[in-house]
Amino acid sequence: MSKNILILPGDGIGQEIVAEAVKVLDCLQKDFGLKVELEEALVGGTAYDDSGSPLPESTLKLAKQADSLLLGAVGGYKWESLDIAVRPEKGLLGLRAGLELFANLRPAILYPQLAEASTLKPEVVSGLNIMIVRELTGGIYFGQPRGVRTLDNGEKEGYNTLVYRESEIERIAKVAFDIAGKRDSRVCSVDKANVLECTELWRDVVNRVGEAHKEIELSHMYVDNAAMQLVRAPKQFDVMVTTNMFGDILSDCAAMLTGSIGMLPSASLDAKSKGMYEPIHGSAPDIAGQDVANPLATILSVAMMLRYSLDEAALAERIEQAVNSVLDQGLRTQDIFSEGMKKVGTADMGDAVVAAMRQQ
Ligand code: NAD
């Protein structure tokens, strides 16, 4: 039976990189028997311009009906001065919350061909393969109360609330233990239990879930130390599991270990493995419309979609091998370019991946 994929290009380079990922999906449909129906909708700043909302009802409805979603990115200079309630990023947060996508999987893998692209020494990062599991629908990004209030003396005060229920911690911990079971069987839970009561509870619940997964080695680390260890000796980690905000920060840090934010896909899953797949980077307004953005993170997001939501592991592998092949051929977008390589634009990189998929 055909599966429905909702395509959400979003803003900035989102339009360009998603177009390349769609070429890959078209190729899988035409040549490799993938049965999917693609539908497209607006989200983020372009949706706001169209309808006054970064997440129109019609988009949310299609998102709920779809089997999977492929998102480019949202945001840009143009919308920065909007009220926070209608900023493009609200569209993304609304999708995550509306679809209950509580588990964000962010692999940080260093492609050997790009070892030189990392700012860290090759021996520190070569062979790096970390999976960061970030809680995505709770914590301080969603906690109430929140806002900016004026105190009696006229001074303004901003406030947010960090809140986690046991059930929220338990379900994300289970995802992390399950993934570790398919990898190197190690989970490091990251918190700030020495200062924040909420993450003291986080640690207790993760320990409790760990009791049922004795085959997995569980460790705990404070977030400040985890940030330090990620740049000091990142290969010590297998799976890291953490809160929404800590995961936001640590996963970008882990991404940079690999040399380029333009190479890394991500998945956000609900309890039934329905997912929204997107590159980890943003809409890069500084390079939008110039045909220089790296489309590989988005193309690799399609591979994650095939593996985690569509049960098409062989097709996922075909994409991943094609990406390896174009890197072997020396093709590089600007962000991963180094001396002696061949610089290509966004569309040429997409075409090269499609050609490599057909050549296998
Ligand atoms: P960004 O990830 O968009 O860009 C950071 C830097 O990385 C920029 O120099 C950019 O040119 C570069 N870059 C990013 N993706 C690239 C790619 N595929 N190829 C080559 N270079 C790439 O982060 P930012 O500049 O902090 O944010 C820009 C906008 O994106 C903001 O409005 C922000 O809110 C939004 N944003 C959206 C998401 C999302 O949609 N998931 C995530 C992060 C930021």
Side-chain angles (χ1 to χ4, degrees), residues 13 17 71-77 80 89 92 96 260-262 278-287 292-295 335:
I13 62 167
I17 53 178
L71 177 95
V74 296
Y77 310 134
E80 269 168 13
E89 292 74 9
L92 190 56
R96 288 173 182 167
S260 172
I261 204 165
E278 54 179 314
I280 67 154
H281 57 73
S283 58
D286 53 331
I287 57 166
V292 295
N294 187 345
D335 55 312

Side-chain angles (χ1 to χ4, degrees), residues 96-97 99-107 131-138 164 168-176 178-179 202 240-244 266-278 304 308-309:
R96 288 173 182 167
L99 301 177
E100 292 187 63
L101 305 173
F102 69 91
N104 186 210
L105 277 46
R106 287 190 173 208
M131 177 68 87
I132 297 189
V133 178
R134 166 189 170 194
E135 200 291 323
L136 204 57
T137 51
Y164 270 115
E168 291 174 295
I169 305 167
E170 198 174 291
R171 66 182 182 177
I172 192 74
K174 281 183 179 157
V175 169
D178 283 349
I179 289 175
W202 176 281
M240 299 175 92
V241 59
T242 191
T243 64
N244 201 343
S266 76
S268 305
L269 306 178
D270 74 1
K272 291 184 181 146
S273 293
K274 168 173 173 165
M276 182 161 77
Y277 296 82
E278 54 179 314
M304 279 189 97
Y308 290 102
S309 288

Side-chain angles (χ1 to χ4, degrees), residues 24-292:
V24 166
L25 280 165
D26 285 345
C27 166
L28 291 176
Q29 279 179 290
K30 281 194 198 112
D31 297 355
F32 300 102
L34 178 67
K35 298 226 178 319
V36 288
E37 310 255 333
L38 309 186
E39 197 153 6
E40 195 170 313
L42 296 177
V43 71
T46 44
Y48 173 82
D49 288 349
D50 184 68
S51 66
S53 163
L55 181 57
E57 273 303 317
S58 54
T59 297
L60 187 58
K61 190 172 167 212
L62 285 173
K64 285 183 173 164
Q65 287 163 356
D67 294 298
S68 280
L69 295 86
L70 180 69
L71 177 95
V74 296
Y77 310 134
K78 188 179 168 191
W79 302 285
E80 269 168 13
S81 56
L82 286 179
D83 185 88
I84 201 160
V86 289
R87 274 198 212 146
E89 292 74 9
K90 276 284 172 192
L92 190 56
L93 296 179
L95 277 172
R96 288 173 182 167
L99 301 177
E100 292 187 63
L101 305 173
F102 69 91
N104 186 210
L105 277 46
R106 287 190 173 208
I109 296 169
L110 185 82
Y111 286 80
Q113 301 95 325
L114 300 180
E116 294 300 322
S118 175
T119 47
L120 271 70
K121 294 182 191 126
E123 64 267 27
V124 176
V125 287
S126 77
L128 182 76
N129 187 344
I130 302 175
M131 177 68 87
I132 297 189
V133 178
R134 166 189 170 194
E135 200 291 323
L136 204 57
T137 51
I140 198 162
Y141 291 176
F142 292 95
Q144 295 287 349
R146 63 190 295 156
V148 177
R149 59 193 161 210
T150 305
L151 303 175
D152 290 344
N153 67 1
E155 190 185 5
K156 283 189 175 164
E157 179 182 69
Y159 57 100
N160 290 87
T161 304
L162 173 60
V163 57
Y164 270 115
R165 292 192 306 271
E166 283 181 297
S167 55
E168 291 174 295
I169 305 167
E170 198 174 291
R171 66 182 182 177
I172 192 74
K174 281 183 179 157
V175 169
F177 280 99
D178 283 349
I179 289 175
K182 295 175 190 141
R183 294 172 46 103
D184 200 31
S185 299
R186 291 182 293 123
V187 169
C188 177
S189 172
V190 177
D191 60 38
K192 191 72 184 169
N194 51 343
V195 178
L196 301 171
E197 289 83 352
C198 180
T199 67
E200 207 179 345
L201 176 69
W202 176 281
R203 189 176 283 219
D204 289 346
V205 175
V206 172
N207 274 330
R208 206 160 69 208
V209 176
E211 286 296 312
H213 293 82
K214 292 279 191 206
E215 72 289 0
I216 308 289
E217 181 191 311
L218 172 63
S219 60
H220 301 274
M221 202 176 270
Y222 296 137
V223 64
D224 41 348
N225 187 25
M228 196 171 77
Q229 296 300 329
L230 264 179
V231 286
R232 192 188 73 83
K235 283 189 275 182
Q236 69 184 284
F237 298 111
D238 177 27
V239 174
M240 299 175 92
V241 59
T242 191
T243 64
N244 201 343
M245 183 165 71
F246 295 163
D248 192 3
I249 299 164
L250 292 180
S251 58
D252 269 18
C253 176
M256 255 345 267
L257 301 174
T258 70
S260 172
I261 204 165
M263 290 297 301
L264 296 175
S266 76
S268 305
L269 306 178
D270 74 1
K272 291 184 181 146
S273 293
K274 168 173 173 165
M276 182 161 77
Y277 296 82
E278 54 179 314
I280 67 154
H281 57 73
S283 58
D286 53 331
I287 57 166
Q290 299 171 26
D291 190 41
V292 295

